[in-house]
Amino acid sequence: MILQQASKRATELREIINQHNYHYYVLDEPDIPDAEYDRLLRELTDIETEFPELIVSSSPTQRVGATPLSEFEQVKHVVPMLSLGNAFNEEDMQAFNKRINERLETERVAYSAETKLDGLAVSILYDNAELKIAATRGDGYTGENVTHNIRTISSIPLNLLGDDLPELLEVRGEVFMTHKSFEELNNIQRNNNDKLFVNPRNAAAGSLRQLDPKITAQRSLSFFAYGIGDYKGKVDFKSHTQILKQLKLWGIPVSPETKEMNSIQDCLDYYRDISERRTSLPYEIDGVVFKVNNLLQQQAMGFVSRSPRWAIAYKFPPVEEMTKVLDIEVQVGRTGAITPVARLEPVFVGGVTITNATLHNLDDIKRKDVRIGDWVYIRRAGDVIPEVVRVIKEKRRRVTEFTMPEVCPVCGADIERQEGEAVFRCMGGISCSAQNLQAIIHFVSRKALNIDGLGEKIIIQLIETGLVNSVADLYTLADKRDTLSKLERMGKKSANNLIEALEKSKKTTLERFIYALGIREVGEATARSLAQYFKAFEPIESASTDELEQISDIGPVVAHNIHSFFQQKHNKEIIEALKKVIHWEAVETNLLSSLEGMTFVITGTLSSMGRDEAKQRLLALGAKVSGSVSKKTNYVVYGDSPGSKYEKAMQLGVKTLTEQELLKLLAD
Ligand code: IVH
């Protein structure tokens, strides 16, 4: 064959193979026997071996790259990858539907219904119809570049098919493992004396987060798309179901269970139907998802914190199992909270073997009357910590009551319970090694400073050998490279890697830094609000509780926690030391929700739009719109003949905006 002929045939074969793939994976209607498919693929491989200059990266022969990575790169999501609010029963669903109808001022809303696959979310970017970058969800704003592994998943096209191909398309969906593939994988693991995966979700996650694509290629992973992120193209999308249909036409697999619903009653029926068929589906699902179908309506609904108001996950009830309480011990958390934990006779629940379950606090133990030796029901829902639901009293024989220790079992400091609080706390603070350990674990965790190579066992060694007393000491390890490399489970290479990871962590974001400090009840969302509101660290350190309460999702308790955290001498010292080494980029205002967390009140007549339109536009940018003015109101927008709300704003010193100023704000 001459080059020209070979080139023509290779192009032809790629097209034929892609078409068969489409029939097999997307339409679920294989149109040729496997042997014939293999023959076509072999013919293409042969041509490419003879004429390597014809190889293109999107050829179906090029799914597995040659070289493993040494680490994952970070990828910033242009449009954040959010999570979903949950419903657990019909009332929650009715309330969801009511909220939507009220906000949209309608009587009936159409939804898209989908299954909630239990895998991991990924984003796949097609640039001019060619697969360019794929990333994990990560913290929703930054994920890991897993392009090399996503390419090995046969059902994900390397090139989009069909007409009206988009200039840019970011497909979002779930990577998962079918029950069958999971069983097969664990059989292989068992035969090789390798560790078994606990469930399909973990197996999928473990397979996707591999540096070597050859390993991922051996694991049979599947993918279903459930939406898009960034998009530039001719097709003008009006509804969510239209998006999913179009994705399918472009060759992207979409769950066959996706349906359009005309009412909330349809949704409830869909939930019932899927619940009944759940165990016969070839993959694990943990609920169903409903999304407002009309995209304009979605926009008008906007977001709360990290979830869209226009979608909800209706979860299946958790799985329960019976087992025996062998003992009740207490654990000391990062904030000193003492949590009683039931040690259990191992029991298999919802795909995982459980040996511990939380008992939350002493009141909970009393209320449920759980005693050591009791038979209990335990419950596991999704990835949350399993809990003891109730005691099986009929089975009670010889039991002992639990008593709360008077001193911390770890550091010996007093244990106290504050007024009005359910939890007991160790008063040892950072001098309690359990609290200190947890504080360090939290500081290095993925959503905080994300320092690889610092597992719990290593941290314990660092503390025990006196190399590290506080999080600030982590950054002195670079000067102690030799001592570090002599620790158990360390060695030169790991020590160097750790020092490099520490070095990398010095550049972070303000919100991660705030979150990493581990202030009580300051999670990711609150850390983000603080960063967005104050834009710099110093004003947060010195903020009064009143100032902190200006932020809409911060109430008096959290404001007090933040304020008093920064008053502690010990914390001040650590922060001073950290500030010398850690830097963050200037805080960007999140475009999607630039008014996130702000509360507006509108009064008077606006000339360029109705009050309702103004409200919808503010909501779409993440703001709240309230009917009455209070200290927490950020802005009062006033039009012609404003009423008492305007006066109230003046009295309280709330900022006011004219219509012109509002328009400018919306345009910005
Ligand atoms: S929509 C803004 N649809 O559930 C909407 N998510 O809690 C974001 N998931 O991270 C997601 N099936 O991993 C959506 N049909 C579906 C889903 C789904 C599974 C997962 C996904 C996401 C999490 C949201």
Side-chain angles (χ1 to χ4, degrees), residues 81-86 114-121 137 173-174 226 286 289 291 303 307-308 310-311 313:
M81 292 182 80
L82 303 159
S83 53
L84 293 168
N86 291 325
E114 297 152 31
T115 47
K116 186 166 188 300
L117 287 147
D118 202 8
L120 65 155
R137 175 176 184 275
E174 199 88 347
Y226 54 64
D286 57 354
V289 180
K291 298 171 185 166
F303 298 84
S307 322
W310 43 264

Side-chain angles (χ1 to χ4, degrees), residues 111-295:
Y111 295 99
S112 160
E114 297 152 31
T115 47
K116 186 166 188 300
L117 287 147
D118 202 8
L120 65 155
V122 295
S123 133
I124 308 171
L125 188 74
Y126 288 88
D127 186 354
N128 281 311
E130 196 177 323
L131 192 161
K132 274 283 147 61
I133 300 177
T136 59
R137 175 176 184 275
D139 63 3
Y141 298 90
T142 325
E144 281 174 336
N145 187 330
V146 287
T147 316
H148 63 306
N149 291 337
I150 288 292
R151 288 176 61 94
T152 70
I153 302 178
S154 329
S155 61
I156 299 179
L158 298 176
N159 280 108
L160 298 178
L161 305 171
D163 303 324
D164 293 328
L165 292 176
E167 215 177 296
L168 191 81
L169 175 72
E170 186 195 345
V171 178
R172 289 180 173 183
E174 199 88 347
V175 167
F176 60 96
M177 201 176 266
T178 60
H179 289 303
K180 183 162 163 274
S181 303
F182 172 70
E183 298 298 332
E184 284 167 3
L185 172 60
N186 264 352
N187 280 339
I188 297 174
Q189 296 287 104
R190 199 173 294 116
N191 290 340
N192 294 341
N193 274 328
D194 282 335
K195 215 170 149 209
L196 300 189
F197 290 99
V198 289
N199 55 31
R201 202 181 98 89
N202 286 13
S207 304
L208 194 65
R209 292 194 68 251
Q210 287 285 339
L211 291 167
D212 186 353
K214 288 202 188 66
I215 300 181
T216 313
Q218 289 160 7
R219 311 273 175 85
S220 172
L221 292 172
S222 308
F223 176 80
F224 280 146
Y226 54 64
I228 60 175
D230 213 3
Y231 169 72
K232 221 183 275 161
K234 280 205 283 287
V235 184
D236 184 18
F237 293 120
K238 300 262 191 286
S239 72
H240 183 73
T241 42
Q242 185 198 353
I243 294 179
L244 299 183
K245 277 185 202 131
Q246 184 62 59
L247 288 179
K248 227 173 131 175
L249 291 172
W250 282 333
I252 308 277
V254 172
S255 162
E257 303 294 347
T258 307
K259 301 214 164 67
E260 222 169 294
M261 305 279 118
N262 283 316
S263 66
I264 189 70
Q265 189 52 47
D266 282 1
C267 296
L268 298 174
D269 293 344
Y270 176 87
Y271 173 83
R272 198 156 319 121
D273 170 53
I274 297 282
S275 307
E276 280 162 17
R277 292 192 293 114
R278 179 183 182 187
T279 48
S280 54
L281 291 176
Y283 40 76
E284 190 89 26
I285 59 172
D286 57 354
V288 295
V289 180
F290 298 108
K291 298 171 185 166
V292 169
N293 197 23
N294 182 308
L295 299 184

Side-chain angles (χ1 to χ4, degrees), residues 496-512:
N496 286 340
N497 287 346
L498 173 57
I499 288 168
E500 206 176 301
L502 281 162
E503 196 54 41
K504 224 171 82 187
S505 74
K506 288 181 179 173
K507 208 175 133 230
T508 184
T509 58
L510 178 57
E511 59 188 85
R512 273 179 182 266

